[in-house]
Amino acid sequence: MTLLSSYQIQSLAPSPLQCLSFSHQPNNPKPCLPLKTMPKPIHFSLVIAKSHQHHHSNPQTKSQDDGIPIDDVKTIVRFKSRYNYIRVLEVSRKADHPFAGSRLLLLDAPGNIHSISFRSKLLTQTYFDVFATLPPILPPGPIGILGFGAGSAASLILKLYPEVVIRGWELDPSVISVGREYFGVSKLENEYQDRLFIYIGDALKASTRDGFSGILVDLFSKGSVIPELQDPNTWVMLRKCLRKGGRVMVNVGGSCVEAEDSGRDGKVVMEETLKAMSDVFGGKVLVLSLGNRDEDSSLALTGPMPDLDSWKKMLPRSLMGYVDMWIPFTS
């Protein structure tokens, strides 16, 4: 197959959620969108292929590296809200790709994916699956999700842990509206009326009586981790929102995340965010690298290293592999 106009999504093994967007060149009647993922993806990054590419695929050896023809990707919604450039994409069930049958939520011009859902399976093979490993190592109490998006993390946690209560914050009401209409958030709200509470407003002002047992942070603006997360004062404030023994798990991004502002280098922003966290949490910050290349991305977890064997025993088998990937952060 010859790809004349394409966007190549690089995987951040061993588990990525990446970025996309589209372009068309005049002589390319059927452009393709090649998405690259490893067997267990966690965060996705976008590389624009400006020159002609040739991608040869043997039908008998197809893998996740094969592109998805644009005919298998449909744009359902596209509009600009006050805060975001919102797009909802749907990948055909017939597509020969791990994203087959999924819906993707994009919130910025570069096309970083903020949420994903599948019609026929629970786990996403993205960093949201790592978020779903957090509840077993938390004390009792509600979990806050800062950057609720279309509810990818909330859906996983509510279905995997019957006792967990989630309080989610999202700045943009349009994102919640899209989540309700196209990603099943309304169904979640109806099914878990006493366990899911969504608030529109500044996530950094989130609070709950007696504090959160855990906080998931997935806050991006214009394709970059928000600047407030590079400020130690933000982490002082979030630490005060935790109960004794509580933890924070954060998507800290990386070079794979493409910002609208070219001056916001993803790797530098990630390092500055980790440094700010470490300063506030006394060096007790763990990092899960989503791959082994310079453009890969990471998650961070506050607190000491948990008992890994005990943690695994409390997780579904499909999530156990993430536990061994955490290492102490060193600045």
Side-chain angles (χ1 to χ4, degrees):
M1 181 190 301
T2 300
L3 307 184
L4 300 179
S5 173
S6 61
Y7 287 81
Q8 181 175 350
I9 291 185
Q10 296 183 332
S11 67
L12 313 181
S15 281
L17 178 59
Q18 301 179 308
C19 317
L20 345 145
S21 106
F22 298 92
S23 74
H24 295 272
Q25 294 182 3
N27 297 323
N28 184 19
K30 287 191 176 182
C32 291
L33 178 68
L35 303 175
K36 281 195 170 185
T37 61
M38 298 297 287
K40 292 183 179 179
I42 295 194
H43 197 91
F44 302 115
S45 66
L46 174 68
V47 175
I48 301 176
K50 295 182 179 178
S51 60
H52 289 194
Q53 294 186 18
H54 297 278
H55 185 102
H56 302 285
S57 175
N58 183 332
Q60 296 181 347
T61 58
K62 287 186 177 180
S63 71
Q64 294 178 338
D65 289 344
D66 292 316
I68 302 178
I70 202 70
D71 290 345
D72 289 334
V73 181
K74 179 171 66 175
T75 300
I76 301 176
V77 173
R78 179 170 57 193
F79 67 95
K80 289 187 177 181
S81 69
R82 178 180 176 184
Y83 300 102
N84 297 292
Y85 176 30
I86 296 176
R87 282 163 287 173
V88 177
L89 308 182
E90 186 169 80
V91 182
S92 169
R93 293 183 182 183
K94 298 179 180 179
D96 186 12
H97 192 273
F99 282 176
S102 70
R103 282 186 176 175
L104 311 173
L105 175 64
L106 287 59
L107 295 180
D108 52 52
N112 299 288
I113 299 175
H114 194 279
S115 297
I116 182 172
S117 69
F118 288 86
R119 292 174 248 182
S120 58
K121 62 181 181 179
L122 177 61
L123 297 181
T124 66
Q125 287 192 304
T126 71
Y127 71 91
F128 294 113
D129 294 358
V130 184
F131 276 174
T133 66
L134 181 61
I137 58 172
L138 299 177
I143 294 176
I145 299 181
L146 312 188
F148 187 83
S152 296
S155 178
L156 282 167
I157 292 171
L158 289 168
K159 293 171 182 177
L160 290 173
Y161 308 101
E163 75 286 356
V164 170
V165 172
I166 289 178
R167 299 185 181 277
W169 274 262
E170 177 62 50
L171 181 63
D172 191 345
S174 296
V175 171
I176 298 300
S177 295
V178 166
R180 286 172 173 153
E181 184 166 357
Y182 299 103
F183 290 86
V185 173
S186 288
K187 183 178 179 180
L188 285 177
E189 290 176 304
N190 290 331
E191 188 172 352
Y192 303 106
Q193 295 183 27
D194 58 343
R195 295 176 52 209
L196 175 61
F197 305 91
I198 302 173
Y199 306 90
I200 305 297
D202 186 349
L204 294 180
K205 295 181 179 179
S207 64
T208 189
R209 183 178 178 180
D210 299 325
F212 296 103
S213 67
I215 300 175
L216 293 170
V217 181
D218 196 12
L219 294 174
F220 285 72
S221 177
K222 297 182 179 180
S224 177
V225 176
I226 63 171
E228 289 86 346
L229 298 187
Q230 291 91 65
D231 182 353
N233 292 321
T234 299
W235 296 105
V236 170
M237 178 181 61
L238 290 175
R239 186 180 59 181
K240 291 178 179 179
C241 295
L242 291 172
R243 299 184 177 193
K244 183 178 179 180
R247 295 175 182 260
V248 185
M249 188 180 287
V250 190
N251 178 0
V252 294
S255 296
C256 75
V257 182
E258 184 180 0
E260 294 180 12
D261 179 358
S262 59
R264 295 280 292 173
D265 180 83
K267 184 176 181 180
V268 173
V269 170
M270 177 184 72
E271 292 171 348
E272 291 178 351
T273 301
L274 289 169
K275 178 64 166 56
M277 294 177 66
S278 182
D279 289 347
V280 172
F281 287 92
K284 294 182 178 179
V285 174
L286 307 173
V287 178
L288 186 153
S289 177
L290 307 180
N292 54 17
R293 298 188 305 272
D294 289 341
E295 68 270 20
D296 290 340
S297 182
S298 298
L299 298 179
L301 175 66
T302 64
M305 183 71 75
D307 182 310
L308 301 186
D309 289 335
S310 297
W311 191 1
K312 289 179 183 178
K313 290 177 182 177
M314 294 184 284
L315 291 173
R317 183 176 298 274
S318 54
L319 296 180
M320 291 180 182
Y322 296 116
V323 169
D324 293 321
M325 295 169 61
W326 292 101
I327 60 173
F329 168 68
T330 56
S331 56

